[in-house]
Amino acid sequence: MDMKFDPVTGERIQEDGAAQQEQAASSAAAQGTGDPGQSQQAYFYQQSGDAGQPKKKKRGVIFAVLAILLVLAAGAAVWAMKSGIFSSNSAKVIEAFTNTVSDMDYLAGAFKFGDILLANESTVAFHSDSQDFDMELQFLYGKPRKQMLGSLDVSGYMDVDFQAELTEKQLMVQVPSVTDYIFTYHYKEPKNGYLKDYYGDSLDDIDELLEALYSSGSQAEPDLDLAKTIAEECGKLEFEKTDSEEFEVDQEKRKCTAISTTVTRESLQKIFDEFEDSVMDSIMESGYGYYGYMEYYFDDMEESISEMEDVDLTFFIYKKKLACIRAEIQEEEAELRFLGGDTRMQNMQFMIDGEEMLRIEGDIVDSTEVKKVFSEGEETARLEYNRKTGDLDISADGGRTVISGNVFLDKDSFEATLDKIMLDGQFADMTFGMTIKKGASFQEFDGNEFDLGEASIEDIQSLFMELNEL
């Protein structure tokens, strides 16, 4: 028997309580009053089948289908840019997909800060504050300068500020609150000091990492292997018109054009393999510590794909936007329905074999966007975002998870803050913030150079003795 939980307190409902609720619902139905908890939203079909039956868990199929849609959507976009040649039917699908995802709600539109990052100079700043800990970091990007500024204040322990700059030839680091020295490391030059004696060839890995970090800030080069594979595999797809069907869009049943194609497991596997290689290579070059986690994720997805049969995809289109994407796989059918509203993606529904697994209900009240997320019929999350003020409130787990803050975008800057965080009923004594803006105020270095690559053991010992005296 599935366990049920009170949506407000999060406590488990005892079996006798569940029986009383069921009895009360039966009595209400007998009196003709109906179930007061039954959703009457016009945007959604009524559930089919016996509501009292336990719902089957098909998480593996859900994740697999979502992976398919994600990879194919990326594939279609790359193929569109690379080939420029479409059949009439494939062009309609790509147009519908593009029109649907570009029709954004308020909050999604507030995260369109790509143009700011692509400016000749930009600054990305993070800050975190708590009772005993304050931290600020700024990443400044320009051509060719890349600089990081920061400060760290741990109550009763340390209060330091620092700056670092990565150039085409060297890394420079200075901690003015500790010493006036500018520590340099020439990653493209041979090393002859103590670091070379101690670390040996391991320094080559550091050199390659720094070179990759510097290059990653340049204009991104496309992954040609991935683009080629996607173009080849998507070019094999044949899109054909099939029988039109009716779907709910904007609270009305609409007759939708249907265009279908079949994706073979082999094609999907090739695309996914190249996509995995591209992502993992990027993680290795960036130096971020997510390699193990992403490797586990990709292994899980790859296993799901390896067990699949060919996938039949049907795109249902209404007024040049998607109304539904249907995937038929392994005798199961999944549908992602775009039910519309103020935007086509405002209300959505994800179905497995006619059973609702996920639902998003959206509404706009004055300048406030409201979103509710339902999983298997139970409300799991609620979001409110005010476009004018930027105020954001998210609640989940029956109110045991709460996040409040502000997200705001204008022409030259983006700002997001989280000033209230509660997880599992416990408030976190911490705030977070991020700012992205055009322009960069680079700081100049002033002090004597200390070359880490050339310093001998005696030089390093003298340095430590000097620092200990400060």
Side-chain angles (χ1 to χ4, degrees):
M1 177 179 292
D2 292 342
M3 292 186 296
K4 297 182 180 296
F5 295 84
D6 188 287
V8 177
T9 66
E11 299 293 334
R12 179 180 177 184
I13 299 175
Q14 300 299 323
E15 292 182 6
D16 57 344
Q20 291 174 4
Q21 290 181 350
E22 184 175 354
Q23 183 178 1
S26 299
S27 299
Q31 296 172 8
T33 60
D35 182 356
Q38 176 67 38
S39 174
Q40 300 296 326
Q41 290 290 332
Y43 276 104
F44 305 100
Y45 296 120
Q46 298 295 322
Q47 292 296 312
S48 60
D50 187 354
Q53 294 289 335
K55 298 178 179 180
K56 295 183 294 182
K57 304 296 184 181
K58 302 177 182 177
R59 301 302 183 188
V61 177
I62 293 176
F63 293 144
V65 171
L66 290 177
I68 290 172
L69 296 178
L70 177 62
V71 173
L72 287 178
V78 175
W79 178 45
M81 291 184 291
K82 186 175 180 64
S83 67
I85 302 174
F86 317 100
S87 68
S88 175
N89 291 327
S90 62
K92 290 178 181 177
V93 170
I94 293 173
E95 180 185 31
F97 178 84
T98 303
N99 291 341
T100 302
V101 298
S102 62
D103 188 16
M104 293 184 175
D105 291 336
Y106 291 165
L107 182 59
F111 282 89
K112 294 178 63 177
F113 49 72
D115 289 344
I116 300 175
L117 287 175
L118 294 176
N120 289 333
E121 291 186 350
S122 62
T123 301
V124 180
F126 301 91
H127 67 82
S128 177
D129 303 312
S130 68
Q131 184 175 355
D132 301 316
F133 175 87
D134 296 321
M135 179 189 71
E136 291 188 14
L137 288 175
Q138 293 186 61
F139 298 90
L140 292 78
Y141 299 91
K143 297 180 180 180
R145 303 186 70 174
K146 295 168 182 62
Q147 195 173 89
M148 179 174 70
L149 309 175
S151 65
L152 180 63
D153 182 2
V154 182
S155 180
Y157 182 67
M158 69 169 65
D159 184 6
V160 298
D161 55 271
F162 61 90
Q163 65 186 67
E165 182 165 343
L166 184 63
T167 71
E168 186 179 5
K169 296 181 179 181
Q170 67 177 346
L171 171 66
M172 299 185 293
V173 178
Q174 188 172 30
V175 187
S177 57
V178 176
T179 178
D180 291 333
Y181 280 119
I182 302 171
F183 298 99
T184 61
Y185 180 82
H186 298 264
Y187 61 88
K188 286 191 174 182
E189 300 293 332
K191 286 57 168 200
N192 300 303
Y194 172 72
L195 291 183
K196 179 64 175 178
D197 296 337
Y198 188 81
Y199 291 103
D201 294 338
S202 297
L203 285 182
D204 294 340
D205 296 332
I206 297 176
D207 295 345
E208 291 176 3
L209 174 60
L210 291 174
E211 186 171 0
L213 286 172
Y214 181 81
S215 300
S216 65
S218 304
Q219 184 67 30
E221 294 292 333
D223 188 321
L224 298 181
D225 290 336
L226 176 60
K228 180 180 179 181
T229 300
I230 292 177
E232 289 176 351
E233 299 305 321
C234 288
K236 298 175 183 177
L237 299 180
E238 295 182 3
F239 292 83
E240 297 180 353
K241 274 193 175 183
T242 56
D243 295 337
S244 60
E245 295 186 28
E246 285 190 342
F247 286 90
E248 184 180 328
V249 178
D250 299 335
Q251 303 185 37
E252 297 287 344
K253 293 289 186 68
R254 313 288 189 180
K255 186 176 182 180
C256 302
T257 301
I259 299 177
S260 299
T261 189
T262 298
V263 183
T264 66
R265 181 183 63 189
E266 290 75 14
S267 291
L268 187 61
Q269 187 69 61
K270 289 180 181 178
I271 294 174
F272 194 85
D273 288 346
E274 286 293 345
F275 178 70
E276 178 183 5
D277 290 343
S278 177
V279 172
M280 299 305 281
D281 288 346
S282 297
I283 292 175
M284 287 292 290
E285 291 178 0
S286 69
Y288 296 133
Y290 302 117
Y291 190 92
Y293 172 78
M294 292 302 298
E295 189 174 35
Y296 172 82
Y297 170 80
F298 279 121
D299 287 345
D300 191 41
M301 290 297 99
E302 187 171 11
E303 182 179 356
S304 298
I305 294 175
S306 67
E307 297 173 354
M308 291 180 185
E309 300 173 359
D310 294 349
V311 181
D312 294 323
L313 284 177
T314 304
F315 301 87
F316 296 93
I317 301 171
Y318 176 72
K319 288 189 175 180
K320 298 184 178 181
K321 295 180 182 179
L322 293 172
C324 176
I325 301 175
R326 177 183 295 159
E328 298 173 78
I329 174 175
Q330 298 176 192
E331 300 181 353
E332 292 177 317
E333 180 182 278
E335 289 185 345
L336 182 60
R337 298 177 179 178
F338 303 85
L339 303 175
D342 296 286
T343 66
R344 187 59 59 90
M345 296 177 66
Q346 185 181 58
N347 294 275
M348 299 175 65
Q349 201 173 28
F350 186 68
M351 314 282 290
I352 297 289
D353 291 338
E355 180 181 358
E356 180 184 279
M357 306 302 291
L358 185 70
R359 179 169 91 246
I360 298 176
E361 294 182 8
D363 193 14
I364 292 178
V365 181
D366 295 328
S367 58
T368 300
E369 173 185 340
V370 180
K371 290 278 189 180
K372 298 178 184 178
V373 180
F374 297 81
S375 178
E376 299 182 353
E378 298 289 336
E379 183 176 338
T380 58
R382 179 186 179 93
L383 177 149
E384 294 188 10
Y385 175 70
N386 188 296
R387 179 182 61 175
K388 292 183 178 180
T389 65
D391 290 340
L392 173 67
D393 293 288
I394 301 173
S395 63
D397 302 328
R400 294 178 63 82
T401 297
V402 176
I403 298 174
S404 297
N406 191 277
V407 178
F408 200 81
L409 175 72
D410 61 24
K411 181 180 178 181
D412 295 326
S413 67
F414 165 84
E415 185 172 359
T417 59
L418 298 179
D419 48 38
K420 179 181 178 182
I421 303 172
M422 182 172 70
L423 303 175
D424 198 23
Q426 300 293 321
F427 279 102
D429 179 27
M430 187 171 290
T431 63
F432 297 92
M434 178 179 73
T435 301
I436 303 174
K437 64 180 182 180
K438 291 183 179 179
S441 298
F442 291 98
Q443 303 297 307
E444 301 303 327
F445 288 80
D446 184 19
N448 296 320
E449 178 182 351
F450 188 95
D451 192 334
L452 294 172
E454 296 297 318
S456 65
I457 182 62
E458 291 80 14
D459 295 332
I460 294 176
Q461 289 174 341
S462 297
L463 173 66
F464 277 109
M465 291 178 62
E466 182 179 337
L467 294 179
N468 286 332
E469 294 175 357
L470 296 178

